[in-house]
Amino acid sequence: ENAPVLRRYAETRYGAKSWSCQRRVIARIEASTQGLDIRFVVTSFAQGSAEWVYDSLYCARGQAENLVKLHKAQLASDRTSCRSPLANQVRLVLHTAAYWLLLTLRDRIPTTHELAAAEFATLRLRLLKVAGRVIETASRVRLAFAAACPHAVLFRGLARSFHPAGP
């Protein structure tokens, strides 16, 4: 259901007994047909409106945590089981390179496409682990996909978006 959601912000000051001073508390209140959803953020940040602090600072922090979670869970970057610390460091660097590759790939997908907000595991399955024929000539590399490849048009557009503009 795409029912409209009413969103408002409020703020107050609050001091718990264990705190040395009162702090700013920001509330994000959403009302929809699903019910009421209230989120609170306690901050020492004095500047900016309640909406700006919640949407620009707090939600951005949450998004950063989600990206770290993607790095660990879907790229297995937390697997540092080698005996050598250097080997574990190299492994982490390679996982980070894969992370940046997938993040850059996802950022190039048009926002209207179903894969624009996909997780890395989905991108790997739908865009990177695709059967195709590579035809290499002296001047170009061509990819031939099966007629039933569902994302061939997207793949072609992504390849063109990474190609540098000519003179």
Side-chain angles (χ1 to χ4, degrees):
E1 297 176 19
N2 288 334
V5 175
L6 182 62
R7 179 184 275 199
R8 296 288 183 262
Y9 300 87
E11 67 178 276
T12 188
R13 300 204 53 87
Y14 177 76
K17 289 180 185 177
S18 62
W19 297 354
S20 61
C21 63
Q22 286 193 339
R23 294 197 171 94
R24 184 178 180 194
V25 179
I26 294 171
R28 191 264 300 145
I29 304 120
E30 278 187 359
S32 70
T33 55
Q34 303 291 322
L36 195 61
D37 180 33
I38 303 174
R39 305 290 169 134
F40 295 98
V41 176
V42 178
T43 182
S44 60
F45 198 72
Q47 274 71 37
S49 68
E51 181 178 0
W52 181 80
V53 169
Y54 187 87
D55 288 341
S56 298
L57 296 180
Y58 179 72
C59 290
R61 182 184 141 276
Q63 180 59 22
E65 289 177 5
N66 288 338
L67 293 174
V68 169
K69 187 169 69 174
L70 275 177
H71 197 288
K72 288 172 133 182
Q74 296 189 7
L75 296 175
S77 65
D78 58 346
R79 294 187 61 208
T80 51
S81 55
C82 298
R83 289 184 183 184
S84 162
L86 183 60
N88 285 327
Q89 188 172 10
V90 168
R91 190 176 194 166
L92 186 58
V93 167
L94 291 173
H95 285 279
T96 301
Y99 169 85
W100 281 110
L101 172 71
L102 286 167
L103 191 63
T104 303
L105 180 71
R106 187 174 70 181
D107 287 346
R108 296 280 178 109
I109 296 174
T111 55
T112 56
H113 196 277
E114 63 176 310
L115 295 177
E119 292 191 350
F120 290 168
T122 304
L123 292 176
R124 229 179 84 233
L125 286 174
R126 300 225 184 133
L127 292 178
L128 300 180
K129 292 180 84 175
V130 177
R133 188 174 61 219
V134 179
I135 304 153
E136 189 175 351
T137 64
S139 60
R140 70 178 71 190
V141 176
R142 300 182 80 184
L143 300 175
F145 296 106
C149 181
H151 300 295
V153 173
L154 174 63
F155 196 97
R156 189 177 305 116
L158 288 170
R160 285 191 180 121
S161 77
F162 284 107
H163 185 67

